[in-house]
Amino acid sequence: FGMNPAALAMAYAVSLPGVTSLVLGSEKLEQVEQNVQLIAQAAQLTLQQMAKIRDNFIDTPARVLNPGLWKQA
C-alpha cells in the first residue's frame, strides 16, 4: 500500500472498528517521536485493504503476533 511496515501497522491499528486510542511502548525519545509522526500520518485503510492484510497474516502463529509470547534472547 506504499507504506513502510511501521506506518502500515499503525494505519491498521487505527483503522480497526472501535479503536479510539493506542498504547505504545517506547524505550527512547526517538521512538516516542517516531510514534507521534506515525499516528499523525496514519491513513484510514479501506475495508478491502484491511481484509487483504488479514488474509496475508491468517496463518501467522500467535507466538509471532502476540508480544506477550515473545521471549527475551
Side-chain angles (χ1 to χ4, degrees):
F1 303 118
M3 298 177 216
N4 67 44
L8 183 59
M10 188 69 68
Y12 186 86
V14 299
S15 296
L16 289 167
V19 171
T20 58
S21 61
L22 298 173
V23 176
L24 305 170
S26 300
E27 294 179 0
K28 299 178 183 178
L29 178 59
E30 294 81 20
Q31 292 171 314
V32 174
E33 292 168 345
Q34 290 170 349
N35 288 338
V36 169
Q37 288 178 344
L38 287 171
I39 291 171
Q41 298 170 1
Q44 186 71 29
L45 299 176
T46 67
L47 293 176
Q48 294 82 9
Q49 289 171 317
M50 297 284 287
K52 187 171 184 175
I53 292 167
R54 278 191 303 275
D55 289 347
N56 281 303
F57 290 94
I58 195 76
D59 294 326
T60 304
R63 63 180 169 73
V64 174
L65 297 176
N66 183 344
L69 300 176
W70 298 349
K71 293 183 179 181
Q72 297 268 341

